[in-house]
Amino acid sequence: APKVYNGDVPPVPPAAAPGCFQTGVISTVDSPELNYFDQVVAEVESKYCIDKGKIFVAGTSSGGWFANYLGCARGNVSRGIAADSGGIPVARPACTGGAAAMEFPGDSAEKKDSMGNEIGVAVARDLFIKTNGCSMTSTQMKFGNATCDYYGGCSSPVAYCNTGGSHQAGQAYLNPSGWPFWSMLQ
């Protein structure tokens, strides 16, 4: 019988996959990280009684790229993502929709790949707004310690939190701001 996760010790460590991912500036549609993510979710589900509506992904730098990639490709599995200093590659699977997104642009708001394609956080924000059917008009909201542009009018909102322009500027905001954002989701 599956164990019940009681909130004391997370079933998946926060640093479960150290290192860089193949879902960054240079990416592939069939990145092996999708299979890895699917296997991790299946393993956790087989061992623990989890609420499938509360699967969240967060990351900074290459982890931010990975969070955005998963929010797009596995938006039907992840309820929400929070990404710092990431972006969204052109080479990615079709977005499935559904994942709420919290974006901290850091130094990656406007970024281009070697072919000149826009791949920065602003592109990720706009992709999630469109995919989730949110309003293009934002409202300022505070989540934890971050003031964000909030795009609502949809069941999976998007928050764009410009906390500074340096690389990983949003890292200190992921936990204190991400959880209040995710907690408001239905």
Side-chain angles (χ1 to χ4, degrees):
K3 299 174 188 172
V4 175
Y5 170 58
N6 62 12
D8 294 336
V9 179
V12 179
C20 292
F21 304 99
Q22 290 183 23
T23 53
V25 174
I26 300 171
S27 184
T28 59
V29 173
D30 61 347
S31 168
E33 277 80 33
L34 288 179
N35 188 37
Y36 171 76
F37 175 77
D38 294 342
Q39 289 176 8
V40 168
V41 170
E43 178 75 13
V44 171
E45 286 178 347
S46 75
K47 293 183 178 183
Y48 298 93
C49 182
I50 65 167
D51 182 344
K52 292 182 183 182
K54 293 186 178 176
I55 296 176
F56 303 104
V57 178
T60 186
S61 191
S62 64
W65 286 90
F66 188 39
N68 282 328
Y69 193 88
L70 288 173
C72 174
R74 294 297 185 262
N76 59 338
V77 177
S78 301
R79 179 62 185 110
I81 62 135
D84 167 41
S85 300
I88 189 83
V90 172
R92 64 177 183 271
C95 291
T96 58
M102 179 172 250
E103 299 287 342
F104 297 92
D107 63 348
S108 302
E110 307 294 327
K111 190 172 191 75
K112 292 183 179 187
D113 64 14
S114 61
M115 302 295 288
N117 297 304
E118 294 287 339
I119 58 171
V121 177
V123 172
R125 173 200 61 207
D126 294 347
L127 176 68
F128 288 120
I129 290 169
K130 182 180 176 187
T131 300
N132 294 348
C134 301
S135 170
M136 288 300 295
T137 304
S138 67
T139 306
Q140 282 223 320
M141 289 184 73
K142 188 156 178 101
F143 296 100
N145 59 352
T147 301
C148 309
D149 292 329
Y150 176 82
Y151 300 87
C154 54
S155 62
S156 297
V158 176
Y160 187 79
C161 313
N162 195 350
T163 56
S166 63
H167 191 64
Q168 299 179 330
Q171 187 171 16
Y173 296 86
L174 285 175
N175 187 29
S177 299
W179 192 246
F181 175 69
W182 291 339
S183 295
M184 65 171 273
L185 302 174
Q186 298 297 325

